[in-house]
């Protein structure tokens, strides 16, 4: 499937930014985990893939320095209007100096990349991290890509509705990390945004969360990963 990833990302980040509201629990979790792991008194983070900008604003409120990277110019403009430092670009060629960041966030991004882009991107992440710096993020867990295949009624192009190109489990995800990034954690997580759920959906979500904690896994789970730059 030959699909213009930037066009898909641009659509959701501009025309359907509401879809990112469900990412709040996931992004807050990642930020809080980074705060536990990073010991710098003046931490500087890079977020790759902006979404609605929640992560940037949350980290800034906690006293972190933040840079953002996204291929969509309108998204970067929106962040700059909020006085957030942001750059247009992609993970495969990060526009930053070596050994710059204490933490790099990459949540729900790697599944959008080809294997070649993933290799290049993770090597770039390793390059810009400080020694001992943390790379953390998420990908969908064992997604069946065929379940979200759609066809354009105009051009008849077949593509994944979210632009996903890869599916990961714990082993396949871990194999992607280069030698310079030591994997500390790869594990399933289930994030639920309780706000806005009616009582029936709250009960269903609670039961799903309960089953998850007892080892019963289902759909819509996430793989959370943390890796550390070793040298």
């Amino acid at each position: 499937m030959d699909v213009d990833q930037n066009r898909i990302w641009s659509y959701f980040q501009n025309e359907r930014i509401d879809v990112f509201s469900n990412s709040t629990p996931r992004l807050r979790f990642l930020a809080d985990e980074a705060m536990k792991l990073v010991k710098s008194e003046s931490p500087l983070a890079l977020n790759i893939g902006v979404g609605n900008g929640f992560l940037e604003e949350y980290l800034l409120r906690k006293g972190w320095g933040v840079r953002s990277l996204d291929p969509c110019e309108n998204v970067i403009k929106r962040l700059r209007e909020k006085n957030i430092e942001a750059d247009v670009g992609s993970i495969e060629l990060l526009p930053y100096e070596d050994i710059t960041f204490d933490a790099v966030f990459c949540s729900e991004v790697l599944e959008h990349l080809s294997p070649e882009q993933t290799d290049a991107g993770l090597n770039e992440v390793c390059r810009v991290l400080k020694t001992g710096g943390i790379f953390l993020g998420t990908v969908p867990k064992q997604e069946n890509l065929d379940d979200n295949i759609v066809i354009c009624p105009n051009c008849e192009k077949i593509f994944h509705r979210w632009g996903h190109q890869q599916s990961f489990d714990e082993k396949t995800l871990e194999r992607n990390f280069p030698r310079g990034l030591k994997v500390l954690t790869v594990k399933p997580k289930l994030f639920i945004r309780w706000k806005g759920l009616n009582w029936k959906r709250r009960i269903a979500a609670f039961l799903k969360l309960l089953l998850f904690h007892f080892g019963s896994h289902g759909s819509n789970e996430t793989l959370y990963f943390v890796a550390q730059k070793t040298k």
Side-chain angles (χ1 to χ4, degrees):
M1 292 177 292
D2 183 17
V3 60
D4 187 341
Q5 290 284 346
N6 289 349
R7 184 172 294 181
I8 293 176
W9 294 344
S10 179
Y11 169 74
F12 283 107
Q13 291 188 123
N14 289 286
E15 307 301 325
R16 290 296 312 280
I17 197 168
D18 58 292
V19 302
F20 295 102
S21 60
N22 289 330
S23 67
T24 299
R26 166 170 46 85
L27 296 175
R28 184 183 286 115
F29 169 82
L30 291 175
D32 291 343
E33 290 298 296
M35 291 172 198
K36 297 174 187 176
L37 295 167
V38 174
K39 306 303 180 183
S40 171
E41 294 183 0
S42 302
L44 178 61
L46 169 65
N47 184 33
I48 302 172
V50 170
N52 62 5
F54 172 84
L55 181 65
E56 286 80 357
E57 295 184 52
Y58 187 79
L59 288 171
L60 286 169
R61 290 198 299 270
K62 299 294 184 178
W64 280 50
V66 181
R67 297 292 294 269
S68 294
L69 185 81
D70 197 277
C72 180
E73 292 185 8
N74 285 342
V75 170
I76 296 305
K77 180 182 178 182
R78 196 161 62 228
L79 287 184
R80 288 175 177 172
E81 289 172 350
K82 297 180 179 181
N83 296 318
I84 297 173
E85 294 189 62
D87 302 285
V88 176
S90 64
I91 190 174
E92 305 100 288
L93 190 62
L94 297 177
Y96 307 109
E97 299 291 332
D98 297 358
I99 317 174
T100 298
F101 298 100
D102 298 285
V104 174
F105 294 87
C106 187
S107 185
E108 308 300 288
V109 170
L110 298 181
E111 66 273 14
H112 292 269
L113 308 177
S114 69
E116 295 76 19
Q117 289 173 312
T118 303
D119 289 343
L122 293 183
N123 279 305
E124 279 287 272
V125 168
C126 188
R127 178 183 66 80
V128 302
L129 271 173
K130 297 177 182 178
T131 300
I134 298 297
F135 176 51
L136 68 168
T138 61
V139 296
K141 180 179 184 291
Q142 291 180 302
E143 178 190 6
N144 185 338
L145 297 176
D146 289 340
D147 286 347
N148 284 300
I149 296 300
V150 295
I151 184 169
C152 174
N154 295 316
C155 69
E156 298 186 350
K157 179 174 286 188
I158 297 172
F159 61 99
H160 188 285
R161 63 181 300 202
W162 305 108
H164 294 179
Q165 298 191 62
Q166 297 188 81
S167 177
F168 299 97
D169 58 25
E170 290 89 335
K171 291 182 179 180
T172 57
L173 179 60
E174 190 167 344
R175 284 200 295 266
N176 280 276
F177 289 92
R179 287 186 178 181
L181 290 175
K182 180 183 178 181
V183 176
L184 304 181
T185 299
V186 177
K187 63 182 180 182
K189 293 289 293 183
L190 181 62
F191 297 104
I192 296 173
R193 185 174 184 264
W194 298 98
K195 185 177 180 181
L197 294 182
N198 60 33
W199 66 270
K200 289 183 179 180
R201 290 186 175 182
R202 282 178 176 265
I203 291 173
F206 176 77
L207 291 174
K208 186 173 183 177
L209 190 61
L210 189 65
L211 289 170
F212 175 82
H213 282 297
F214 280 100
S216 178
H217 297 284
S219 60
N220 298 320
E221 292 181 11
T222 296
L223 282 179
Y224 161 60
F225 64 82
V226 181
Q228 184 173 41
K229 183 172 177 178
T230 54
K231 60 180 179 179

